[in-house]
Amino acid sequence: MTEDIGEFDLISRYLKPLVALPGALALTDDAATIKVPASKQLIMSKDVLVGNVHFFENDLPDLIARKALRTNISDIIAKGAHPYCYALGLCFPGQASEDFIASFAEGLAADQDIYGVSLIGGDTTRSISDLMISVTMFGLAGKRGAVTRLGAGPGEAVYVSGTLGGSAVGLQTLLDRPRFEGLSEVLVSDLQSEYLLPQPPFGLQKMIAAHASASMDISDGLFQDAGHLARASEVTIIIEQEQIPMSTALQLALESDPDLLETALKGGDDYQCLMTIPPDHQALFESDCADAGIMVSLIGKTIARARLPVMLRHHGEVVENLPTGYTHF
Amino acid sequence: MTEDIGEFDLISRYLKPLVALPGALALTDDAATIKVPASKQLIMSKDVLVGNVHFFENDLPDLIARKALRTNISDIIAKGAHPYCYALGLCFPGQASEDFIASFAEGLAADQDIYGVSLIGGDTTRSISDLMISVTMFGLAGKRGAVTRLGAGPGEAVYVSGTLGGSAVGLQTLLDRPRFEGLSEVLVSDLQSEYLLPQPPFGLQKMIAAHASASMDISDGLFQDAGHLARASEVTIIIEQEQIPMSTALQLALESDPDLLETALKGGDDYQCLMTIPPDHQALFESDCADAGIMVSLIGKTIARARLPVMLRHHGEVVENLPTGYTHF
């Protein structure tokens, strides 16, 4: 069962079952057709994940697959678009083991069910030593098109979805386990799950399209990404530290080791959405999210562009040194 | 000038100038919008290239970039679609040198002018040791949609574009230079150019859409790819060996070393088109190609499905052992 598998076998046995749209031509052709309904706009996001950079090569293959999809799905949702289909580029160092592929494809299948996407095409090849996964994700937006980072005005409410910071601390538990020996196995495992399997807020795309003036996904840390949105929209975002939503596991970890706060605040890999909501949409945005059972938290507001694009306040006092985010190089 | 360059500088200095469509949002957002005119269909192809697998890492960066675009453009053309725009995923081992990026972007810009495409989005990140380039190329097809591998019937003419085999021999001159010491530098350089810079038949997409019953690009060797088309269409393709078009450089190389014929015949990396043309379209297909100055060659015909999907004939005699093509693993 750990035999190497050829490209054509890999495609027909493990990838072909992931196809649902006729435009994929059952993965038997050089190209695919992506149908765009007349009333929709096609949105595209492309994220590349590399082993031992974005994930550990000994992570479970199904989790690697799901993370690769979800880091792209969060982009599509943040643009107010409905996830649609994806193209997959897979590079394996040397030969691909059938065990790896089988588990990887299981992960893709599981998330296809959850997010309503299917495989439309792609490429598989070998590499010399890196495992690389390149996902091009397509989404369908309504007439408004993509909700961009541009569009926030002063005096708007700033929201995030889900919880933040747990993923960054989860990564730390994988890199430096001894530091966390005071935490229970269950707690560590919960934090690691936040890192290994992000939870993009599926369904929130509707409320973003209907209510957000600007939106983006949070992948490089809340402060760095808030800075991107603030600069694009030419506003300043004020974030109230105590309103940043954190998972129970992260809150418990912080109680035991308050120094983790910086890791949590500056960390990346959240794959949640950051949204600005104009005052006249705020009540409806909140009730729409509540009706759909999607967690959103008010973390601050926008003001006219001040000296800095982002200001963090802790119990009303401005925090001078903002934790910076993740850089890719 | 060989300083390392950060992700945001790289994007704003070298990639942003490659944008032409408003949907790219100047590469400042998480996603792009791909506009599809109402009368068109969107076609997508995705090929991943890995250093020291698909190219040599010391190849000139501008040639690496152009090859990455062209291997995808040949797919789009083969489907009878017009190249439109592309998303780029770039993984650099360690840090990216500014010299490399500058040259790489120059190569992209040159081919954007030639093929009428522009950058729509993507991702740049670091890898551990492999240089990887993932291109998702988009094309626009007319009402007919993509011309697939399916659709060839018996009694049709089989054509290829450009010349074949020179790329595979060019690769050999890079791998085993001593074998070619009898050839002039100019000849070797010509063969290497065929490998380093494929020449997909831009413009041929119109004739393919108008006249071909089936079409695909030739990337894994003529015989392997002809086999794919023949199996999909459930016909047998008969190829006349002496009608396979070869460049002058390849013909001269074969005169000096006839053993290279097998390399030339089974080699990959041609990035030309293989097309079946029904009899009532043949004259018009040929005159349309001649009018546009696009080289196509009649290399054989289809017959009802026989014992083998592809048969090679040499001066009318069937060649028993068909050279097989390139495999990706």
Side-chain angles (χ1 to χ4, degrees):
Chain A
M1 274 304 286
T2 54
E3 273 170 51
D4 295 332
I5 179 170
E7 182 184 19
F8 296 115
D9 276 353
L10 183 164
I11 293 170
S12 70
R13 252 186 270 168
Y14 294 104
L15 299 182
K16 216 166 163 175
L18 301 171
V19 165
L21 298 171
L25 298 170
L27 308 183
T28 58
D29 218 289
D30 313 286
T33 303
I34 301 176
K35 295 254 178 219
V36 185
S39 61
K40 300 290 181 187
Q41 292 195 45
L42 190 73
I43 309 297
M44 181 222 63
S45 152
K46 185 180 177 85
D47 267 349
V48 183
L49 274 71
V50 182
N52 297 330
V53 176
H54 301 94
F55 59 88
F56 297 96
E57 284 198 0
N58 58 358
D59 287 347
L60 294 174
D62 64 319
L63 290 180
I64 297 174
R66 300 174 81 176
K67 188 164 187 174
L69 288 187
R70 290 174 181 215
T71 59
N72 281 282
I73 284 171
S74 71
D75 283 319
I76 298 296
I77 291 173
K79 300 296 102 182
H82 195 80
Y84 181 30
C85 59
Y86 66 98
L88 178 68
L90 265 181
C91 297
F92 297 97
Q95 301 232 310
S97 93
E98 184 153 3
D99 274 357
F100 183 96
I101 297 293
S103 167
F104 192 89
E106 264 177 40
L108 295 176
D111 271 7
Q112 289 197 177
D113 284 349
I114 294 172
Y115 296 103
V117 294
S118 64
L119 183 64
I120 191 80
D123 191 22
T124 56
T125 186
R126 72 182 174 88
S127 63
I128 303 298
S129 63
D130 288 334
L131 172 58
M132 195 205 65
I133 302 149
S134 164
V135 171
T136 306
M137 180 69 64
F138 300 96
L140 295 174
K143 269 192 191 142
R144 183 185 168 184
V147 179
T148 66
R149 299 175 180 188
L150 241 112
E156 296 185 353
V158 177
Y159 283 83
V160 295
S161 63
T163 60
L164 304 179
S167 176
V169 174
L171 172 59
Q172 281 308 310
T173 68
L174 290 163
L175 294 172
D176 181 11
R177 188 69 187 79
R179 178 173 177 185
F180 299 88
E181 58 184 10
L183 298 187
S184 75
E185 278 302 324
V186 173
L187 203 58
V188 169
S189 165
D190 279 0
L191 290 166
Q192 290 177 355
S193 293
E194 292 186 52
Y195 170 72
L196 293 170
L197 194 60
Q199 304 287 339
F202 188 60
L204 186 58
Q205 65 268 17
K206 281 183 224 141
M207 296 65 155
I208 291 172
H211 303 299
S213 56
S215 170
M216 67 183 292
D217 90 322
I218 308 170
S219 54
D220 295 340
L222 173 61
F223 299 111
Q224 181 167 318
D225 286 329
H228 291 316
L229 192 150
R231 276 189 209 93
S233 289
E234 296 178 356
V235 295
T236 284
I237 291 177
I238 299 177
I239 296 172
E240 309 292 344
Q241 185 176 314
E242 51 285 3
Q243 286 171 231
I244 298 171
M246 293 177 178
S247 66
T248 307
L250 178 57
Q251 291 177 42
L252 292 170
L254 288 175
E255 276 176 24
S256 119
D257 181 354
D259 289 348
L260 287 171
L261 184 63
E262 201 191 336
T263 302
L265 288 182
K266 83 176 187 188
D269 272 326
D270 292 307
Y271 305 109
Q272 294 296 334
C273 295
L274 171 71
M275 302 148 286
T276 52
I277 310 291
D280 56 332
H281 279 266
Q282 204 176 343
L284 205 53
F285 172 74
E286 285 206 0
S287 65
D288 281 357
C289 291
D291 289 349
I294 294 169
M295 177 185 177
V296 291
S297 305
L298 177 67
I299 61 159
K301 64 180 178 187
T302 57
I303 59 169
R305 184 70 161 85
R307 190 172 55 88
L308 293 171
V310 181
M311 290 162 63
L312 178 65
R313 291 203 301 208
H314 188 216
H315 297 306
E317 298 286 319
V318 173
V319 177
E320 279 303 321
N321 291 312
L322 213 58
T324 53
Y326 181 78
T327 51
H328 290 278
F329 287 137
Chain B
M1 275 305 288
T2 55
E3 272 170 51
D4 294 331
I5 179 171
E7 182 183 20
F8 297 114
D9 276 353
L10 184 165
I11 293 170
S12 70
R13 253 187 269 168
Y14 294 103
L15 299 181
K16 216 165 161 175
L18 300 171
V19 164
L21 298 171
L25 299 169
L27 307 182
T28 58
D29 218 288
D30 313 286
T33 303
I34 301 176
K35 296 253 179 220
V36 184
S39 61
K40 300 290 181 186
Q41 292 196 45
L42 191 73
I43 309 298
M44 181 220 65
S45 151
K46 185 181 178 84
D47 266 350
V48 183
L49 274 72
V50 182
N52 299 330
V53 177
H54 301 93
F55 59 88
F56 296 97
E57 286 199 358
N58 58 358
D59 287 347
L60 293 174
D62 64 318
L63 290 180
I64 298 174
R66 299 174 82 175
K67 187 164 188 174
L69 288 187
R70 290 175 182 215
T71 58
N72 282 283
I73 284 171
S74 72
D75 283 318
I76 298 296
I77 291 173
K79 299 296 104 182
H82 195 81
Y84 180 30
C85 59
Y86 65 97
L88 179 67
L90 266 181
C91 299
F92 298 98
Q95 302 232 308
S97 94
E98 184 155 2
D99 275 357
F100 183 95
I101 298 292
S103 167
F104 192 88
E106 263 177 43
L108 295 176
D111 270 6
Q112 290 197 174
D113 284 349
I114 293 172
Y115 296 104
V117 294
S118 64
L119 183 64
I120 191 81
D123 191 21
T124 56
T125 186
R126 71 182 175 89
S127 64
I128 301 300
S129 64
D130 289 335
L131 171 59
M132 278 170 292
I133 302 152
S134 164
V135 171
T136 307
M137 181 67 65
F138 300 97
L140 294 175
K143 268 191 191 140
R144 182 184 171 184
V147 179
T148 67
R149 299 177 181 187
L150 241 111
E156 296 185 352
V158 177
Y159 283 84
V160 295
S161 62
T163 61
L164 305 179
S167 176
V169 174
L171 172 59
Q172 280 309 310
T173 67
L174 290 163
L175 294 173
D176 182 11
R177 188 69 186 81
R179 178 172 177 186
F180 299 89
E181 58 184 10
L183 298 188
S184 75
E185 278 301 324
V186 173
L187 204 58
V188 169
S189 166
D190 278 0
L191 290 166
Q192 289 177 356
S193 292
E194 292 187 50
Y195 171 71
L196 294 170
L197 193 60
Q199 304 287 341
F202 187 59
L204 187 58
Q205 65 269 15
K206 281 182 224 141
M207 295 65 156
I208 291 172
H211 303 299
S213 57
S215 171
M216 67 182 294
D217 90 323
I218 308 171
S219 54
D220 295 340
L222 173 61
F223 299 111
Q224 182 167 317
D225 287 330
H228 291 317
L229 192 150
R231 276 189 208 92
S233 288
E234 296 177 356
V235 295
T236 284
I237 291 177
I238 298 177
I239 296 172
E240 309 293 342
Q241 185 176 316
E242 51 287 1
Q243 287 172 229
I244 298 172
M246 293 179 178
S247 66
T248 307
L250 178 58
Q251 291 177 41
L252 292 170
L254 287 175
E255 277 176 23
S256 120
D257 182 353
D259 287 349
L260 287 171
L261 184 64
E262 201 191 337
T263 303
L265 289 181
K266 83 178 188 187
D269 272 327
D270 292 307
Y271 305 109
Q272 293 297 335
C273 295
L274 171 70
M275 302 148 286
T276 52
I277 309 291
D280 55 333
H281 279 265
Q282 203 176 343
L284 205 52
F285 172 75
E286 285 206 359
S287 66
D288 282 356
C289 290
D291 290 349
I294 294 169
M295 177 186 177
V296 292
S297 306
L298 177 68
I299 61 159
K301 64 180 178 187
T302 57
I303 58 169
R305 184 70 161 88
R307 189 171 56 88
L308 292 171
V310 181
M311 289 162 63
L312 177 65
R313 290 203 301 207
H314 188 215
H315 298 305
E317 296 289 316
V318 173
V319 178
E320 280 303 321
N321 290 312
L322 214 58
T324 53
Y326 181 79
T327 51
H328 290 281
F329 288 136

